[in-house]
Amino acid sequence: MNEVDGGAGAGWVAHLRDLVRELADGESLMVRAPASGVRPVRLRRARLGGLIPAKHESVAAWVRLVRYEDHLKGFCVGAEALGGSFPLSPEEDAALLALGWRRPDRREGTDYVRFWPDDVAQGPFLPREEAERAARMVLASFTDVLAPGSDPPTVTR
């Protein structure tokens, strides 16, 4: 699935690209990892020498895409180590940064962020090439980092 130039990956990218381009100002899309890509998160450590067991919850990775006027802003689930809700290793954090996500500053919350275009908009909302670049990055975020080896993520409005 890591190959987005052909097969199911290309179809998924085209589908997300088209959905992104249809967004009205303020509308958003949610992209979630499938059930096969969830990770356990420890909510509570074991207590009383293990008499009270640790409590865990399964968490699915997500990316939210929001249209702000002529830009698309992406939010990617934040790492637990940075105050977010998703368990990421330092290598996975580095991989998300290498894909183009950036860590938020204190005012932006705990989730990774990204804008498309990453500069001044050159025309009306998100040209096809920018929407495709965003869709490829979202897919790579899941297939390479957040849920490798699982089914493609699902997209909802």
Side-chain angles (χ1 to χ4, degrees):
M1 178 71 188
N2 287 351
E3 235 177 84
V4 296
D5 292 328
W12 192 93
V13 166
H15 176 67
L16 182 59
R17 175 199 64 217
D18 294 343
L19 289 174
V20 162
R21 295 193 71 216
E22 294 171 2
L23 289 174
D25 192 21
E27 286 186 332
S28 66
L29 298 170
M30 183 63 86
V31 184
R32 293 185 195 280
S36 59
V38 299
R39 294 185 186 183
V41 174
R42 185 173 64 189
L43 300 176
R44 177 187 70 214
R45 292 183 172 184
R47 296 184 285 182
L48 298 173
L51 191 57
I52 299 175
K55 183 176 179 181
H56 292 83
E57 177 180 79
S58 294
V59 177
W62 54 265
V63 169
R64 188 166 66 103
L65 301 171
V66 182
R67 178 178 174 178
Y68 288 105
E69 297 177 0
D70 291 337
H71 283 84
L72 181 69
K73 186 173 184 181
F75 300 88
C76 180
V77 64
E80 262 185 325
L82 302 172
S85 61
F86 198 70
L88 288 173
S89 69
E91 295 79 17
E92 291 169 325
D93 172 67
L96 286 176
L97 297 175
L99 285 172
W101 293 104
R102 70 170 178 78
R103 292 185 189 115
D105 64 28
R106 293 179 192 203
R107 298 169 306 216
E108 294 176 309
T110 60
D111 303 322
Y112 296 89
V113 293
R114 167 69 191 222
F115 277 96
W116 293 275
D118 54 5
D119 200 354
V120 177
Q122 299 296 317
F125 176 64
L126 221 54
R128 179 183 169 100
E129 300 78 31
E130 284 291 326
E132 180 135 349
R133 186 175 350 163
R136 285 179 183 277
M137 183 175 155
V138 169
L139 182 60
S141 298
F142 283 95
T143 60
D144 297 348
V145 183
L146 301 172
S150 64
D151 297 327
T154 58
V155 181
T156 56
R157 288 189 180 262

